Amino acid sequence: MKALVAFSGELHIDGNTYTEAELNTFSETELPRRFDTPEYQVLIVAEKYQTGFDQPKLCGMYIDKKLAGLQAVQTLSRLNRTYHGKERTFILDFQNTMDDIKEAFRPFYEVSSIEAVSDKNQIYQLEARIRQFGFVDDVAPKFYPILSSLRRSMLPCWAV
């Protein structure tokens, strides 16, 4: 399992400067095309692709930022694409309540329905599935210092 990162500008961490192109090893304009291949399965996004990125493989989103209004609708709508084999979408939101999201969608729909968490063990089941690929043990520790600083410095909205 391989991951890509998407963010604008530069990250300055411990005296080092990082760009999206350097971390991915190709230009940022190539990212949508490269992610659309079997080589990559995870895309970590900070403040980017809220509009215009209609990647049907996106099925899960982890949100670590307060969202409101049109920004919430645009961000969450990135998952609303059909794709062969994609049966469900998943959002784990650390900042917004269900009422916050309902309020954001209210102007666009007469009725907004959000499913409450039905099985709290879903996150552990997902973790076990990811660990089967060895990604967390092999790749994630290499990215953690950079992603951790990205989270603190840019208050990102993470998309997987």
Side-chain angles (χ1 to χ4, degrees):
M1 185 177 279
K2 290 178 73 177
L4 294 172
V5 295
F7 59 93
S8 298
E10 298 177 338
L11 293 177
H12 302 280
I13 303 166
D14 298 329
N16 297 311
T17 301
Y18 300 94
T19 66
E20 176 183 309
E22 289 171 328
L23 293 174
N24 291 330
T25 68
F26 52 80
S27 75
E28 70 179 82
T29 58
E30 289 184 54
L31 190 143
R33 183 183 61 77
R34 293 276 188 110
F35 184 64
D36 200 26
T37 67
E39 185 176 3
Y40 298 100
Q41 297 80 34
V42 176
L43 177 60
I44 301 167
V45 180
E47 296 291 334
K48 194 169 186 177
Y49 294 142
Q50 286 182 302
T51 62
F53 186 67
D54 294 333
Q55 174 47 258
K57 288 191 327 187
L58 295 177
C59 60
M61 185 177 291
Y62 301 86
I63 300 173
D64 193 19
K65 172 185 175 170
K66 199 73 169 159
L67 299 172
L70 186 58
Q71 179 190 38
V73 173
Q74 289 175 329
T75 299
L76 299 176
S77 294
R78 297 303 94 211
L79 297 178
N80 190 23
R81 302 293 179 264
T82 59
Y83 183 70
H84 176 72
K86 178 178 169 180
E87 297 175 14
R88 294 179 55 168
T89 58
F90 175 79
I91 298 170
L92 181 60
D93 192 332
F94 295 101
Q95 294 294 321
N96 304 282
T97 66
M98 288 195 308
D99 288 337
D100 293 337
I101 300 304
K102 283 182 183 179
E103 185 60 33
F105 275 83
R106 187 177 321 279
F108 303 97
Y109 297 98
E110 290 182 23
V111 176
S112 293
S113 174
I114 298 177
E115 181 180 320
V117 175
S118 58
D119 181 0
K120 294 179 182 178
N121 290 314
Q122 286 179 343
I123 192 72
Y124 299 112
Q125 293 166 354
L126 178 60
E127 177 189 20
R129 288 178 55 202
I130 291 171
R131 285 191 183 278
Q132 287 176 344
F133 293 100
F135 172 76
V136 174
D137 298 327
D138 296 339
V139 177
K142 296 173 188 171
F143 281 104
Y144 181 76
I146 295 169
L147 296 177
S148 175
S149 294
L150 174 68
R151 181 177 176 202
R152 285 191 305 273
S153 67
M154 298 181 77
L155 297 173
C157 171
W158 301 79
V160 178

